[in-house]
Amino acid sequence: MSIRVAIVEDDKRISAALARLVHEAGGFRCAGTYASAETALWGIPKEPPDAVLMDINLPGMSGVDCVQRLKEILPKLEIVMLTVYEDGDQIFSALQAGASGYLLKRTPPNEILKALDDVMQGGAPMSSYIARKVVQSFQKEGPSPKESENLSKREREVLAYVAQGYLNKEIADTLAVSVETIRSQLKSIYDKLHVRSRTAAAFKYFQK
Amino acid sequence: MSIRVAIVEDDKRISAALARLVHEAGGFRCAGTYASAETALWGIPKEPPDAVLMDINLPGMSGVDCVQRLKEILPKLEIVMLTVYEDGDQIFSALQAGASGYLLKRTPPNEILKALDDVMQGGAPMSSYIARKVVQSFQKEGPSPKESENLSKREREVLAYVAQGYLNKEIADTLAVSVETIRSQLKSIYDKLHVRSRTAAAFKYFQK
DNA sequence: CCTTCGCTCCCCCGAACGGGGGATTGCTTG
DNA sequence: CAAGCAATCCCCCGTTCGGGGGAGCGAAGG
């Protein structure tokens, strides 16, 4: 008995590629493709599949909200999120909403099939980067309850310049150190704040 | 009679390069090099040169403050700022402090010499980018007294996503448009806010 | 009717950024 | 004293940005 997989993805090319992937693989059947959360909510309950590949990034209702609703209606439905985002908050809200897996879109096709198998067997397939984030989140809430805000004096200084729009080179000049130093310190800042860009770091730290 | 030029620049390599440039050019004499605003304020008044090439980016006291003090003591001194910054505010505070010229550090050597000649003849040498900024500032205070805050609805929307650290690609996805559209809109935003990076734009608009 | 402006999309290209390593020097702290 | 940690610096490499063009379209206003 093959696994019925529904696809919720607004990008037609990606959606078609996923449908083909599922269709041509042994042991899977494509049980519908939807280009929005709304249509998915309308169509999926009518013919419940076993699993859903869900884009997190949909026009209108978000994938996360869609997961929430679907799980209310079909608690046994296994949902694997597909996304380009690597932001911690999105990962957690998706998982809290009821998703069981979380893959980055750049995940190779065969890995996606493996993830579908995995999720049907009670697993929680995640890209390695995502997995690390999840682990980190538990490390956070356990031993060190505050951790994220303890930037060092120097790091705060650097971030302050970043917030004003300075280039790494310019910060390096004014602080009389090498650009590489600024770069490493930024890496450390991104780590601590769980972001991946200067702009996000600046706003997260100086509470927009 | 050659033009005596003092150099205030903390980067030894640049300072040396400028000194050599002035020294080897006909009609100029290097009248001292200083690595900080403080030493310049101490040394320059003792043997006043005709002109000063001043880095805006100095450890300790800023080049702008240094200009202010120097002009108080030596009103006839001609000062040309050298900087990597292209930020409007810095340009204006330097000019208000008494600088007569404002060049970007990437200005070719012969242009720098031309600028020194120019400034001694009562000119106001500026890199073309700087000149445009200055012109724009007058255009600002004239016809359109509000100028900077009129971002369109769409532009504000884009900037909001930028502030959260999203990539152009991600913003394009959520707004269901092309990355190129986001890029053009960002260009337009940078223009209106007089900045040159997403981080600076976000902070300037959402008043840090 | 024609111009302006917002919004959309495209190309080229060089600079800046961010992730992945790794390394050294001091200071603190168990 | 060894371990940790902040701070400094280095390389490689792929991605993202930002500036410079240009272009089409529809709505609003002269």
Side-chain angles (χ1 to χ4, degrees):
Chain A
M1 173 82 178
S2 57
I3 300 172
R4 288 158 299 170
V5 181
I7 293 160
V8 186
E9 162 66 65
D10 64 309
D11 186 313
K12 291 196 186 81
R13 284 188 311 249
I14 297 180
S15 180
L18 288 173
R20 202 175 335 111
L21 172 68
V22 169
H23 191 70
E24 295 174 354
F28 298 94
R29 276 203 316 126
C30 177
T33 64
Y34 306 90
S36 74
E38 289 80 0
T39 54
L41 283 174
W42 174 83
I44 288 182
K46 293 171 65 176
E47 269 189 273
D50 301 303
V52 178
L53 284 175
M54 169 96 59
D55 183 15
I56 208 164
N57 232 163
L58 298 167
M61 183 188 296
S62 82
V64 173
D65 291 335
C66 186
V67 169
Q68 185 97 53
R69 309 278 191 95
L70 281 177
K71 290 294 277 191
E72 282 170 15
I73 311 172
L74 306 164
K76 293 187 173 176
L77 189 61
E78 295 292 345
I79 302 176
V80 175
M81 307 304 288
L82 279 181
T83 181
V84 296
Y85 295 86
E86 302 181 353
D87 177 56
D89 299 336
Q90 292 222 319
I91 296 170
F92 302 128
S93 41
L95 295 181
Q96 278 168 22
S100 303
Y102 202 110
L103 302 179
L104 296 178
K105 278 194 178 166
R106 60 169 117 99
T107 304
N110 64 313
E111 291 285 323
I112 293 182
L113 293 177
K114 257 188 235 168
L116 286 171
D117 261 332
D118 192 7
V119 84
M120 288 312 293
Q121 287 165 32
M126 303 184 227
S127 298
S128 59
Y129 177 80
I130 303 295
R132 200 184 318 163
K133 283 279 181 194
V134 172
V135 170
Q136 283 173 353
S137 86
F138 286 114
Q139 294 172 340
K140 250 191 279 188
E141 315 203 26
S144 52
K146 44 183 172 20
E147 74 310 274
S148 81
E149 305 310 350
N150 46 16
L151 297 189
S152 74
K153 203 164 289 180
R154 198 53 154 175
E155 287 165 348
R156 282 193 295 276
E157 205 175 349
V158 169
L159 196 50
Y161 283 104
V162 166
Q164 321 217 345
Y166 287 76
L167 302 179
N168 291 347
K169 169 85 177 56
E170 296 169 340
I171 301 173
D173 284 353
T174 62
L175 295 183
V177 296
S178 146
V179 188
E180 292 302 326
T181 300
I182 303 300
R183 270 162 49 70
S184 345
Q185 275 155 354
L186 276 179
K187 288 176 194 176
S188 155
I189 291 170
Y190 297 157
D191 255 6
K192 292 182 181 175
L193 298 184
H194 309 302
V195 296
R196 300 170 77 66
S197 82
R198 50 175 56 272
T199 309
F203 266 78
K204 189 147 191 173
Y205 193 71
F206 301 110
Q207 64 291 328
K208 61 183 167 307
Chain B
M1 173 80 178
S2 56
I3 300 172
R4 291 158 298 171
V5 181
I7 293 160
V8 186
E9 162 67 64
D10 64 310
D11 185 315
K12 290 195 184 84
R13 285 189 308 252
I14 297 180
S15 179
L18 289 173
R20 201 175 334 113
L21 172 69
V22 169
H23 190 70
E24 294 174 354
F28 298 94
R29 274 201 319 128
C30 176
T33 63
Y34 305 90
S36 74
E38 289 79 0
T39 54
L41 284 174
W42 174 83
I44 288 181
K46 293 171 65 176
E47 271 190 87
D50 300 304
V52 179
L53 284 175
M54 169 94 60
D55 182 16
I56 209 165
N57 233 163
L58 298 167
M61 183 187 296
S62 81
V64 173
D65 290 335
C66 186
V67 168
Q68 186 96 53
R69 308 280 192 95
L70 281 176
K71 290 294 280 192
E72 282 169 13
I73 311 172
L74 305 164
K76 293 186 174 176
L77 189 61
E78 296 293 346
I79 302 177
V80 175
M81 307 306 286
L82 279 181
T83 183
V84 295
Y85 296 85
E86 301 181 356
D87 176 56
D89 298 336
Q90 290 222 320
I91 296 170
F92 302 127
S93 42
L95 295 180
Q96 277 168 21
S100 303
Y102 202 109
L103 301 179
L104 296 178
K105 277 193 176 167
R106 61 170 115 99
T107 305
N110 64 312
E111 290 286 323
I112 294 181
L113 293 177
K114 258 188 231 165
L116 286 170
D117 260 333
D118 192 7
V119 83
M120 289 311 295
Q121 287 166 32
M126 301 183 230
S127 298
S128 58
Y129 178 79
I130 304 295
R132 200 184 319 163
K133 283 278 180 194
V134 172
V135 169
Q136 282 173 353
S137 87
F138 286 113
Q139 293 171 341
K140 252 189 277 189
E141 316 203 23
S144 54
K146 44 187 173 20
E147 74 307 279
S148 79
E149 304 312 350
N150 45 18
L151 297 188
S152 75
K153 204 163 291 182
R154 197 56 155 174
E155 286 166 348
R156 283 193 295 276
E157 204 176 350
V158 169
L159 195 50
Y161 283 104
V162 166
Q164 321 219 342
Y166 288 76
L167 302 179
N168 291 346
K169 168 88 176 54
E170 297 169 339
I171 302 173
D173 284 352
T174 63
L175 296 183
V177 296
S178 147
V179 187
E180 291 303 325
T181 300
I182 303 300
R183 273 163 47 70
S184 336
Q185 274 154 354
L186 276 178
K187 287 176 194 176
S188 155
I189 290 170
Y190 296 156
D191 254 7
K192 291 182 180 174
L193 299 184
H194 310 302
V195 295
R196 300 171 77 69
S197 82
R198 53 186 41 247
T199 309
F203 267 78
K204 190 148 190 173
Y205 192 71
F206 301 111
Q207 63 287 330
K208 64 182 162 307

